[in-house]
């Protein structure tokens, strides 16, 4: 298989659904070219997905890997309240992946992307020791309206979308709906799009509620008191809901007076506590909540 042929195939997959007008040049040239939309700020994020860390070849199909790699970055766009625009995908493969496997990865990725209007606009291909997928996503928000981690205010209510602990539970059981959630997370893009009017601050739950909430509190210079019932996924434990990673739900805070509906874009939204002025202190039902979520460098 020659690289030029492979790139032509990837270009076909990327262009299957046509280009939006603002993307002047997509896959195939040295760079992608886009014209930013008026009165919008661009937001960027990139995420690694690494064999043995985020997926394994025995448990995840190529399409699963493509889906999950993009979902991780889309979840970051959702947390900023952004509309997804385009992604660049840099893929390193080891010696064992054939052309069909590579195509399947891009198809899994673009199938998820099509649901949220994000276009594969370029990237890179290389051989490596292990499979590594680096997905850079660009989105945009109304000017000045990007939803930051730093905007929480004491007295805000704290909300999460969906259910917690499913991905951690799935990692243990390797079957059922929670395993599916672990392999193919659902980025809350549609919820995020509606949050930049409603919320003061948001973060996506990639590394676990306890750790990600701590990060948001640190950026905002606030504390948090969790009291209410957590929306725990079916079969998951309280520990998995508090500390399990990779749920990719959104956590956001909003002023008490703002009317946060029980569902946004069809996804349940649950109030789980409130923001306090005790800087850096996070408690759950009266006890200090240690940030035991997943920390890559601990
Ligand atoms: Mg994030």
């Amino acid at each position: 298989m020659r690289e030029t042929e492979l790139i032509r195939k990837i270009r076909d997959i990327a262009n299957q659904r046509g280009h939006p007008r603002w993307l002047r040049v997509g896959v195939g040239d040295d760079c992608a070219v886009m014209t930013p939309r008026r009165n919008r700020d661009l937001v960027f994020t990139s995420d690694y997905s690494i064999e043995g860390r985020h997926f394994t070849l025995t448990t995840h199909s190529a399409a699963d890997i493509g889906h999950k790699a993009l979902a991780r970055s889309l979840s970051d766009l959702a947390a900023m309240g952004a509309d997804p625009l385009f992604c660049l995908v840099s893929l390193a493969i080891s010696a064992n992946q054939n052309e069909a496997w590579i195509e399947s990865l891009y198809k899994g990725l673009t199938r998820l992307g099509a649901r949220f209007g994000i276009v594969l606009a370029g990237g890179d291909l290389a051989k490596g020791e292990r499979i590594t997928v680096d997905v850079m996503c660009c989105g945009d928000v109304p000017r000045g309206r990007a939803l930051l981690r730093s905007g929480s205010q004491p007295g805000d209510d704290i909300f999460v979308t969906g259910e917690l602990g499913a991905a951690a539970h799935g990692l243990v059981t390797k079957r059922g709906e929670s395993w599916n959630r672990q392999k193919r997370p659902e980025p809350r893009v549609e919820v995020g799009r509606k949050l930049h009017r409603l919320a003061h601050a948001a973060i996506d739950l990639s590394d676990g509620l306890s750790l990600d909430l701590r990060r948001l509190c640190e950026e905002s210079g606030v504390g948090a008191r969790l009291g209410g019932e957590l929306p725990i996924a079916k079969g998951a434990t309280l520990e998995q809901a508090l500390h399990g990673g990779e749920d990719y739900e959104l956590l956001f805070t909003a002023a008490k007076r703002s009317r946060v509906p029980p569902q946004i874009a069809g996804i349940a939204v649950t109030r789980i506590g409130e923001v306090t002025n005790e800087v850096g202190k996070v408690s759950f039902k009266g006890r200090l909540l240690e940030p035991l979520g997943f920390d890559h460098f601990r």
Side-chain angles (χ1 to χ4, degrees), residues 47 54 72 149 203-213 215 240 242-249 291-296 298:
D47 284 87
H54 302 98
R72 286 161 49 72
R149 294 180 181 185
I203 189 170
D204 66 314
L205 298 179
S206 54
D207 297 330
L209 172 65
S210 60
L211 183 55
D212 290 320
L213 174 57
R215 288 171 175 152
Q240 288 168 336
L242 285 171
H243 306 299
E246 301 197 306
D247 279 326
Y248 298 104
E249 297 294 347
L292 299 180
F294 186 80
D295 183 335
H296 290 264
R298 189 155 54 207

Side-chain angles (χ1 to χ4, degrees), residues 158-165 205 208-210 213 225-234 236-244 247 250-251 268-274 282-285 289:
I158 304 172
F159 298 87
V160 290
T161 60
E163 295 175 332
L164 303 177
L205 298 179
L209 172 65
S210 60
L213 174 57
R225 191 185 300 128
L226 301 184
E229 290 299 310
L230 292 181
I232 302 176
K234 189 160 169 259
T237 64
L238 175 62
E239 288 295 296
Q240 288 168 336
L242 285 171
H243 306 299
D247 279 326
L250 295 182
L251 179 145
V269 171
T270 309
R271 180 188 177 280
I272 60 167
E274 65 183 342
V282 178
S283 66
F284 175 67
K285 294 192 171 168
L289 182 65

Side-chain angles (χ1 to χ4, degrees), residues 11-262:
R11 188 196 327 212
D12 289 345
I13 294 169
N15 293 346
Q16 217 169 22
R17 294 167 181 90
H19 270 186
R21 264 231 307 274
W22 46 259
L23 186 66
R24 300 199 173 279
V25 179
V27 176
D29 213 307
D30 293 307
C31 292
V33 181
M34 81 164 288
T35 306
R37 301 196 285 184
R38 280 165 61 94
N39 299 317
R40 309 279 290 187
D41 287 337
L42 296 175
V43 301
F44 302 90
T45 183
S46 70
D47 284 87
Y48 269 129
S49 292
I50 299 172
E51 182 185 356
R53 172 62 75 186
H54 302 98
F55 61 86
T56 69
L57 286 175
T58 48
T59 53
H60 293 64
S61 70
D64 290 338
I65 296 166
H67 175 113
K68 188 171 177 182
L70 179 62
R72 286 161 49 72
S73 275
L74 280 175
S75 180
D76 282 329
L77 289 187
M80 303 301 282
D83 281 343
L85 294 172
F86 71 87
C87 62
L88 305 177
V89 176
S90 293
L91 173 65
I93 44 165
S94 45
N96 307 321
Q97 280 68 51
N98 61 23
E99 190 177 316
W101 190 95
I102 296 167
E103 280 179 42
S104 177
L105 182 145
Y106 280 100
K107 282 180 183 161
L109 187 145
T110 52
R111 203 175 302 134
L112 176 69
R115 286 174 42 207
F116 300 110
I118 193 162
V119 185
L120 173 61
D124 196 17
L125 265 175
K127 285 263 161 74
E129 299 284 290
R130 52 167 98 180
I131 300 168
T132 305
V133 198
D134 173 23
V135 179
M136 190 291 286
C137 277
C138 172
D140 70 3
V141 291
R143 187 160 292 167
R145 301 298 289 270
L147 202 47
L148 309 182
R149 294 180 181 185
S150 55
S152 281
Q153 293 164 25
D156 279 2
D157 283 328
I158 304 172
F159 298 87
V160 290
T161 60
E163 295 175 332
L164 303 177
H169 178 62
L171 207 53
V172 177
T173 63
K174 301 268 195 301
R175 60 190 165 84
E177 177 53 26
S178 55
W179 178 227
N180 197 42
R181 286 297 305 273
Q182 155 60 231
K183 286 196 296 182
R184 293 190 171 229
E186 273 292 304
R188 299 306 190 191
V189 173
E190 301 294 348
V191 180
R193 277 174 172 152
K194 306 219 155 128
L195 284 186
H196 59 74
R197 291 176 185 286
L198 199 61
H200 283 157
I203 189 170
D204 66 314
L205 298 179
S206 54
D207 297 330
L209 172 65
S210 60
L211 183 55
D212 290 320
L213 174 57
R214 172 71 58 110
R215 288 171 175 152
L216 180 132
C217 285
E218 280 170 2
E219 289 305 314
S220 290
V222 297
R225 191 185 300 128
L226 301 184
E229 290 299 310
L230 292 181
I232 302 176
K234 189 160 169 259
T237 64
L238 175 62
E239 288 295 296
Q240 288 168 336
L242 285 171
H243 306 299
E246 301 197 306
D247 279 326
Y248 298 104
E249 297 294 347
L250 295 182
L251 179 145
F252 63 95
T253 82
K256 276 224 164 8
R257 63 173 185 284
S258 64
R259 295 214 177 88
V260 176

